[in-house]
Amino acid sequence: MPVTVNKLSFTYSAKTPYERKALNNINLQINEGDFLGIIGHTGSGKSTFIQHLNGLIKPQEGEIQIFDVKLTPDKRPKVNLRALRSQVGMVFQYPEYQLFADTVEKDVAFGPKNLGLSADEVSNRVRQAIEMVGLDYEAVKDRAPFELSGGQKRRVAIAGIIAMRPKMLILDEPTAGLDPFGKEQILNLIKYLKTHCSPTIVVISHDIDEITRFANRIVVFNDSRIVYDEPMQQLFKHSIQLQAMGLDIPRAVKIANALRDRGIDLGEDIVTAEDLMRAIAQRYNEKHSTQIDKEACVFDMYDFTHKWLTSEERAALEGKPVEPVEEEQPSGKLKHGKRKTQHVKKIKKSKRGKE
Amino acid sequence: MRDISFGQYYPVNSFIHNLDARVKILVTLLFMVSVFFIVSYTAFAFMFLLLTLTIAVSRVPFRIVAKTIEGILFLLIFTALINIFFTSSGNVLVPIRMGGNVVLNITDQGINFAIKMAFRFTLLVLGSSLLTLTTTPTELTDALEFLLKPLKLIRIPVHDLAIIMSIALRFIPGLVEETDKIMMAQKARGASLDSGNLFKKIKAMLPVLIPLFVSAFRRADELADALDARCYNASSTRTKLKVFKIKPMDIFVFVGFAVVLTAILLDKYFVGKYVPSPDLGGFEVQGLDVLIYNFIRSVVEHGKV
């Protein structure tokens, strides 16, 4: 089990008028392969919590077991924080503000270099990390990070973390301040990293519609405590309580709840837009005995935006040369076109199946 | 978030907090001047007592005021050592020899100087930090602007300077927070910011300093745009949100401290003039200490006053 948190508490500026309790008796287990979403409004303690997971804050009370490292309030034994940080990658909010080197390559190399790896290994990892985040290594490696676009900077910053090959990746508001297209790219990148880089991922987000698209489990922080820790499909049974805490619920859940209030019950387990569409199609089919393909109704926002862009526009947005859509390669290169083709194929296949 | 308690405003409601900021600045200035005129241990004792009382009234915990001393501890010890080793007057207590020759002497007068200098520094730092602990930065700059108004006559843009100062003060907590964030982010990438020799440490700070500068310039740019967008113009006369108004208490405090300063000046110039100080071979006894010294000596020598 990667992370076990036991009775963790933390207070900022203790014994001053600025004293503020940030964490109060937190107990949590994060399992291998979890795609954990953390929600909670500003000041609920979620950022403080994830800083503990990386050893950036020493626990004041309680203890944390992260992989083979144990963090306790005691001064001894001394913990090897660098070893911990190579296993847990942390992408802070607005990570592009931490870029400092004069070239993208040097910046991404900062993390692996600090791990004391050989020059060959460092440059290998840098190349792979830059490609993993969907940038063209040759085109960006010698450019200054400050002259890239906002979305590209953020991807470079994320590359700087994954170049350390963490077993667990923590991201704090990874899409904050990006346009819808940039958001889409980062979300797809996170999904991709889950399968190709770090099997365990923790994401903090304010956008509940975003988090429900990939999380399999959601933890809710409120007033420095964990109030809910549920599988994603189960969480929105507590819709009323969540809204009372000032938290948003997914639009699909809102629509399903509104329909239920008007006498149309589509079932309990609707969380994403896709769920809602399937349920509506199913309902429609049942009522009118038609055979609408449920899967064909489901569209992906990413595909949607892409349908309206020419390949040149797409290339301009992504800041890389136009490339033909390739079949999957074992090298682990991220091609945005790939997802699309797979998805389209899936839909086509299902259509053909129906015929 | 880091604990920055060095002179940071401590928000409680107290008599001292409610005093007019201009009076507080003036009294602090008088206090600083008077500290340099203190010569006798009696006056030091009185001043420490007065400061302790003020701190107690201000309801700022002693722990927090005392913390400001930490910052100048090095300076304090350094000047004390200089005084101890390089004062040649007074009676030699410990001669320091090097190859048979006496190179330096530790004298009683040297120790005397060292203690007094340390007292002066302590008083200065505690007194001035009490000002910033009990006055918000806004009040402070407003009061400074008022006090510096006469400089307008010689065409010094006092208002602009005050705005610059309040913006600078306003930005400090933000920059500290930003530094903290960046340091955390770089630590998460395996940076070690506090090991190795000085040169290594400076080099290790680069990944923190560069993003910090970038963000400082970005913030400054944004602030300038925001000021422009609101048609801010420093040259026009503007009214104040908080208008200073002198209360009877302010006058009382000011006059009270003027009396204290007078007493200290009397201690230095008057008492010494009319009471002959004892001849102790270079070791000076000054001010009211002379009376106390004479009193103790007469008790010891004659068994009575």
Side-chain angles (χ1 to χ4, degrees):
Chain A
M1 194 160 308
V3 177
T4 309
V5 180
N6 203 1
K7 291 184 185 145
L8 182 70
S9 294
F10 191 85
T11 309
Y12 279 113
S13 306
K15 292 179 199 159
T16 70
Y18 299 102
E19 176 173 303
R20 196 164 54 81
K21 191 132 197 150
L23 294 177
N24 195 351
N25 195 18
I26 301 290
N27 294 293
L28 183 72
Q29 289 193 342
I30 301 174
N31 308 312
E32 177 89 37
D34 258 355
F35 211 140
L36 183 74
I38 296 183
I39 58 174
H41 52 73
T42 318
S44 58
K46 47 191 188 346
S47 288
T48 311
F49 175 68
I50 58 164
Q51 283 165 17
H52 276 93
L53 297 184
N54 200 293
L56 290 167
I57 301 182
K58 207 175 162 57
Q60 286 177 345
E61 272 174 62
E63 54 182 44
I64 313 168
Q65 178 82 42
I66 307 164
F67 296 107
D68 47 355
V69 181
K70 188 170 201 165
L71 299 173
T72 60
D74 306 325
K75 285 213 170 96
R76 275 165 208 290
K78 262 205 159 203
V79 184
N80 186 351
L81 287 175
R82 200 174 276 190
L84 170 66
R85 284 167 191 161
S86 70
Q87 297 183 76
V88 182
M90 173 86 116
V91 180
F92 278 92
Q93 219 169 349
Y94 297 104
E96 57 272 28
Y97 291 160
Q98 76 199 26
L99 299 174
F100 68 96
D102 43 359
T103 68
V104 168
E105 190 180 24
K106 280 186 197 164
D107 205 287
V108 175
F110 183 65
K113 256 191 193 159
N114 284 331
L115 296 181
L117 301 167
S118 70
D120 276 356
E121 177 68 9
V122 169
S123 64
N124 255 343
R125 285 188 176 199
V126 169
R127 185 188 193 98
Q128 204 181 12
I130 293 179
E131 282 171 354
M132 246 188 209
V133 297
L135 295 170
D136 184 349
Y137 175 74
E138 293 299 331
V140 298
K141 73 178 171 105
D142 292 323
R143 291 178 66 185
F146 298 105
E147 60 186 44
L148 300 175
S149 76
Q152 285 175 327
K153 271 190 215 165
R154 188 159 299 183
R155 283 190 277 165
V156 169
I158 293 176
I161 306 292
I162 60 177
M164 296 169 77
R165 304 253 173 94
K167 287 193 244 168
M168 183 168 113
L169 192 62
I170 305 171
L171 301 105
D172 189 353
E173 296 269 355
T175 61
L178 292 180
D179 56 30
F181 188 75
K183 274 187 188 178
E184 228 24 71
Q185 287 186 321
I186 295 289
L187 290 180
N188 284 320
L189 172 62
I190 295 171
K191 280 189 201 167
Y192 178 85
L193 292 177
K194 171 95 166 69
T195 46
H196 291 84
C197 174
S198 313
T200 310
I201 289 198
V202 178
V203 174
I204 287 186
S205 179
H206 272 117
D207 187 342
I208 191 73
D209 280 302
E210 200 174 280
I211 225 166
T212 48
R213 284 184 39 202
F214 49 72
N216 61 12
R217 181 179 156 203
I218 295 185
V219 167
V220 182
F221 273 77
N222 191 38
D223 269 349
S224 63
R225 289 167 193 276
I226 289 181
V227 280
Y228 295 115
D229 176 4
E230 307 240 16
M232 212 250 293
Q233 306 292 335
Q234 305 292 312
L235 180 72
F236 299 103
K237 289 184 301 194
H238 313 292
S239 289
I240 296 167
Q241 292 90 323
L242 288 173
Q243 283 175 311
M245 282 172 213
L247 295 172
D248 207 7
I249 57 171
R251 264 173 285 181
V253 177
K254 274 188 209 161
I255 294 171
N257 287 349
L259 287 173
R260 190 174 304 121
D261 290 344
R262 286 162 180 75
I264 305 167
D265 194 350
L266 294 172
E268 287 284 341
D269 52 355
I270 292 169
V271 177
T272 62
E274 283 89 344
D275 297 340
L276 184 67
M277 285 182 170
R278 279 195 201 96
I280 290 175
Q282 167 128 26
R283 210 10 145 40
Y284 190 86
N285 284 344
E286 281 167 10
K287 209 161 185 181
H288 302 277
S289 28
T290 47
Q291 285 296 319
I292 294 173
D293 180 2
K294 280 184 281 176
E295 293 308 315
C297 296
V298 178
F299 69 86
D300 188 304
M301 170 75 177
Y302 186 77
D303 292 335
F304 184 72
T305 42
H306 268 55
K307 270 174 198 151
W308 305 102
L309 296 174
T310 65
S311 56
E312 285 82 11
E313 283 169 331
R314 210 180 313 154
L317 266 172
E318 290 174 18
K320 61 180 192 182
V322 189
E323 279 175 276
V325 176
E326 289 171 42
E327 282 303 315
E328 188 160 0
Q329 290 171 338
S331 71
K333 245 190 173 183
L334 177 64
K335 288 274 169 9
H336 287 301
K338 200 171 63 199
R339 248 190 76 80
K340 186 187 167 189
T341 43
Q342 282 173 346
H343 206 102
V344 171
K345 257 186 226 153
K346 204 169 72 192
I347 293 172
K348 276 184 191 153
K349 211 183 279 170
S350 64
K351 269 183 186 160
R352 232 176 276 136
K354 285 275 147 50
E355 284 161 16
Chain B
M1 212 187 331
R2 192 187 309 173
D3 295 337
I4 34 159
S5 45
F6 179 73
Q8 196 193 15
Y9 180 64
Y10 191 91
V12 285
N13 190 15
S14 81
F15 174 75
I16 307 286
H17 283 72
N18 291 333
L19 282 178
D20 192 303
R22 293 170 298 178
V23 171
K24 274 191 271 188
I25 291 180
L26 286 179
V27 169
T28 309
L29 283 177
L30 286 185
F31 171 79
M32 288 175 157
V33 171
S34 63
V35 162
F36 281 104
F37 284 99
I38 297 180
V39 284
S40 65
Y41 285 103
T42 321
F44 273 120
F46 173 75
M47 217 50 167
F48 271 111
L49 185 71
L50 190 68
L51 195 63
T52 314
L53 278 177
T54 319
I55 294 171
V57 170
S58 77
R59 291 173 58 200
V60 179
F62 283 96
R63 187 170 48 82
I64 287 183
V65 187
K67 240 187 184 173
T68 54
I69 289 288
E70 276 174 28
I72 61 141
L73 206 59
F74 173 75
L75 191 69
L76 210 63
I77 294 169
F78 184 72
T79 46
L81 288 179
I82 293 270
N83 271 311
I84 289 177
F85 287 111
F86 293 98
T87 307
S88 48
S89 58
N91 307 309
V92 177
L93 296 177
V94 185
I96 297 172
R97 290 194 173 82
M98 208 185 252
N101 302 326
V102 177
V103 276
L104 283 175
N105 285 319
I106 296 180
T107 65
D108 51 6
Q109 180 69 355
I111 292 172
N112 190 19
F113 276 161
I115 292 173
K116 281 182 180 171
M117 197 48 96
F119 278 175
R120 276 192 196 113
F121 269 126
T122 314
L123 280 173
L124 275 183
V125 171
L126 290 182
S128 50
S129 67
L130 196 60
L131 173 70
T132 50
L133 280 166
T134 61
T135 319
T136 62
T138 331
E139 280 178 337
L140 214 55
T141 42
D142 270 1
L144 267 183
E145 188 186 343
F146 180 90
L147 295 172
L148 294 179
K149 251 181 195 168
L151 292 180
K152 268 187 185 165
L153 291 176
I154 52 166
R155 301 202 172 218
I156 289 176
V158 177
H159 180 72
D160 294 13
L161 290 177
I163 278 290
I164 290 170
M165 191 174 142
S166 60
I167 288 174
L169 285 174
R170 170 65 191 76
F171 266 49
I172 290 172
L175 282 178
V176 169
E177 209 172 286
E178 189 85 22
T179 316
D180 225 29
K181 260 194 210 160
I182 297 168
M183 278 173 100
M184 275 207 191
Q186 306 299 26
K187 272 190 199 162
R189 292 166 78 185
S192 53
L193 301 173
D194 35 19
S195 58
N197 57 28
L198 188 68
F199 185 70
K200 264 189 185 163
K201 265 189 202 164
I202 292 171
K203 216 182 152 205
M205 281 309 278
L206 273 186
V208 175
L209 289 179
I210 292 173
L212 189 65
F213 270 93
V214 171
S215 102
F217 281 118
R218 185 168 40 80
R219 274 165 187 254
D221 250 7
E222 280 166 7
L223 184 74
D225 283 346
L227 285 173
D228 274 347
R230 288 166 177 75
C231 300
Y232 180 82
N233 181 0
S235 61
S236 62
T237 46
R238 31 188 77 243
T239 51
K240 293 268 176 239
L241 178 63
K242 272 187 187 167
V243 181
F244 285 123
K245 212 175 160 216
I246 294 286
K247 299 178 287 291
M249 268 307 144
D250 297 321
I251 298 171
F252 173 76
V253 168
F254 188 73
V255 172
F257 200 83
V259 172
V260 171
L261 178 59
T262 319
I264 284 166
L265 290 175
L266 284 179
D267 181 47
K268 181 176 165 91
Y269 294 110
F270 187 78
V271 180
K273 214 171 197 174
Y274 291 93
V275 185
S277 50
D279 180 24
L280 294 169
F283 181 85
E284 287 179 61
V285 182
Q286 291 166 296
L288 280 171
D289 290 356
V290 177
L291 294 180
I292 294 173
Y293 174 84
N294 289 341
F295 173 78
I296 294 173
R297 205 175 59 172
S298 67
V299 170
V300 170
E301 282 179 2
H302 312 291
K304 60 178 169 47
V305 183

